[in-house]
């Protein structure tokens, strides 16, 4: 009778994986359950005891139990726990294998995150980026979803894309420290001021020009009477601003297409990724050249606008 009552309690715990792992059941009790349970249930108790060992920092017996659980019955939970053990002991290649097996059974955000972080720790930034983009797809409004991709892009040298994702994070989490850290580390050289369709594009560092240009813009927007020369120059600068918006939108679309192709093709080698990135880099370089031209025109027009403004002050 003791066997039946005792075993029924432990079986309930096993069926409730992983809730009961830390519910006060001791390693000794799991050992008893292994000895007394039916053959087809033993893998569960090896799994539970392995998790208990891992949580108590006893990695060697934990690994032995998780290996036994998988040998008796390959199961997703055991692969996850063993992957976490490998990650915690810095055996990242083995962690990647286990997380991949678990993802193949049922992909989740947490698994992509764990595998992505493992790729980052092995300097495999291409595959980390692929996992990072999957995370973003699954939870686009969660700031943490962007962390793997941002770190991968930064290490790949794609600073513009890393910064773009950081700006995306701050659009719904303004105070996010990680995103703001990237933006601060790699500041934009230029910023927009004003509103469409009358957008001026000026140097971020030129605060005096920025303030005066904003003042002019507000006068123009409110329909206040201004000098004809001032209005003409403002029209010219606004046209330049719209051109800048168009080219920047094209640049964003180019790299959005790149992200989509990385995900759809599931690029799994550095060589293949380099070919893909070179393709989009060529396209973006041509657009960036146009942007540089219009940046010069924008700065010149803004300087002239300020001079006209002061001349009519």
């Amino acid at each position: 009778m003791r066997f039946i009552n005792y075993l029924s309690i432990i079986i309930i715990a096993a069926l409730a994986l992983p809730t009961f792992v830390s519910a006060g059941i001791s390693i000794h009790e799991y050992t008893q359950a292994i000895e007394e349970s039916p053959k087809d249930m033993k893998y569960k108790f090896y799994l539970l005891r392995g998790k208990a060992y891992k949580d108590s920092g006893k990695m060697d017996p934990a690994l032995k139990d998780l290996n036994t659980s998988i040998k008796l019955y390959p199961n997703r939970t055991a692969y996850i726990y063993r992957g976490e053990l490998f990650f915690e002991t810095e055996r990242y290649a083995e962690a990647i294998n286990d997380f991949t097996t678990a993802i193949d059974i049922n992909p989740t955000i947490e698994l992509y995150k764990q595998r992505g972080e493992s790729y980052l720790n092995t300097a495999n930034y291409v595959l980390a980026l692929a996992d990072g983009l999957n995370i973003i797809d699954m939870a686009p409004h969660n700031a943490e979803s962007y962390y793997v991709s941002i770190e991968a892009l930064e290490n790949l040298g794609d600073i513009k894309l890393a910064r773009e994702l950081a700006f995306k994070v701050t659009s719904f989490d303004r105070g996010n420290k990680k995103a703001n850290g990237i933006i601060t580390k790699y500041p934009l050289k230029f910023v927009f001021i004003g509103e469409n369709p009358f957008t001026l594009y000026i140097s971020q560092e030129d605060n005096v020009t920025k303030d005066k240009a904003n003042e002019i813009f507000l006068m123009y927007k409110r329909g206040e009477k201004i000098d004809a020369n001032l209005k003409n120059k403002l029209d010219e600068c606004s046209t330049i601003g719209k051109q800048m918006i168009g080219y920047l939108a094209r640049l964003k679309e180019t790299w959005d297409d790149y992200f989509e192709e990385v995900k759809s093709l599931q690029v799994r080698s550095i060589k293949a990724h380099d070919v893909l990135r070179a393709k989009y880099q060529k396209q973006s370089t041509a657009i960036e050249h146009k942007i540089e031209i219009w940046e010069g025109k924008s700065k010149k027009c803004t300087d002239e606008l300020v001079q006209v403004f002061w001349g009519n002050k």
Side-chain angles (χ1 to χ4, degrees), residues 1-16:
M1 181 64 68
R2 183 197 66 80
F3 169 79
I4 295 175
N5 290 338
Y6 173 78
L7 186 58
S8 65
I9 294 173
I10 299 298
I11 288 177
I12 291 173
L15 293 175

Side-chain angles (χ1 to χ4, degrees), residues 174-237:
R174 183 174 297 180
N176 187 276
K177 291 183 179 180
K178 189 175 185 70
N180 281 301
I182 291 293
I183 294 170
T184 302
K185 186 176 180 181
Y186 307 108
L188 281 170
K189 184 178 179 182
F190 292 90
V191 294
F192 283 117
I193 63 172
E195 298 174 5
N196 292 335
F198 307 112
T199 302
L200 304 179
Y201 199 62
I202 64 174
S203 170
Q204 188 178 28
E205 299 174 356
D206 193 348
N207 292 321
V208 175
T209 302
K210 185 191 303 183
D211 292 341
K212 293 305 173 184
N214 264 320
E215 186 175 348
I216 295 168
F217 168 77
L218 291 174
M219 291 172 61
Y220 189 34
K221 184 179 179 183
R222 290 193 296 260
E224 297 179 7
K225 186 176 180 180
I226 57 177
D227 180 82
N229 291 332
L230 184 59
K231 182 180 182 301
N232 290 338
K233 184 56 66 175
L234 186 53
D235 286 340
E236 179 185 344
C237 291

Side-chain angles (χ1 to χ4, degrees), residues 55 79 89 151 183 188 219 225 232 254 266 269 293:
D55 290 346
Y79 282 116
T89 55
E151 186 172 343
I183 294 170
L188 281 170
M219 291 172 61
K225 186 176 180 180
N232 290 338
T254 297
Q266 287 293 298
S269 74
I293 294 174

